[in-house]
Amino acid sequence: MMISVRQHKAKAVRGFTLLELLVVMVIIGLLAAYVGPKYFSQVGKSEIKMAQAQIDSLEKALHQYRLDVGGYPATEQGLAALVARPNNEARWQGPYLAKMPPSDPWGRPYIYKYPGERSEFDLLSYGKDGQPGGEGEAADITNW
């Protein structure tokens, strides 16, 4: 049984048809459409948790500052008072943070107000949208 050259070439050149490629692309697209939103919702949740953890850490540093100095930094001094001695604070025992306070997960500075409107001091991030209020990922993340 001798295989002709033509039959041999036909077997060696086999490939995928356009229809097969389209079916595979549709399946990949369906999987991406199903998995993508679930993945990105987890990213949003992790950003919120990170902001909550950072606010908690900053809040603890502010409490330590108050124990040493006798009060919280003024709004004008801001969170920078946790890293560098304010000019008028002889009882300052810091730094209370190793470096300047981080930005929130969306790249904006945390908002600090003393005296606070909701608690002794207000420490917050406006969330993903950067605007007061909101729901879900756009909700404010606060210390109260």
Side-chain angles (χ1 to χ4, degrees), residues 8-17 20:
H8 183 66
K9 278 188 176 182
K11 286 184 181 181
V13 180
R14 286 201 66 197
F16 295 107
T17 65
E20 292 170 327

Side-chain angles (χ1 to χ4, degrees), residues 21-131:
L21 290 174
L22 287 175
V23 168
V24 169
M25 296 294 286
V26 167
I27 291 170
I28 291 172
L30 289 172
L31 286 173
Y34 177 73
V35 173
K38 291 187 181 296
Y39 170 76
F40 288 111
S41 73
Q42 294 300 318
V43 171
K45 288 177 187 175
S46 68
E47 288 173 332
I48 291 168
K49 287 181 181 180
M50 181 189 303
Q52 290 168 335
Q54 287 176 336
I55 285 175
D56 184 54
S57 176
L58 292 170
E59 189 174 24
K60 288 176 181 168
L62 285 162
H63 289 312
Q64 185 62 46
Y65 179 98
R66 182 185 59 88
L67 288 173
D68 289 346
V69 175
Y72 294 105
T75 301
E76 297 77 35
Q77 293 170 320
L79 298 174
L82 299 172
V83 180
R85 177 190 302 270
N87 292 333
N88 58 349
E89 296 297 347
R91 296 172 43 194
W92 190 83
Q93 300 292 315
Y96 302 96
L97 295 173
K99 56 185 178 182
M100 285 301 288
S103 298
D104 69 12
W106 301 278
R108 292 181 290 277
Y110 285 101
I111 298 161
Y112 170 74
K113 297 177 189 173
Y114 178 76
E117 297 170 9
R118 303 263 179 124
S119 62
E120 281 188 281
F121 61 87
D122 292 347
L123 184 59
L124 64 131
S125 165
Y126 285 137
K128 187 174 185 173
D129 66 352
Q131 303 295 320

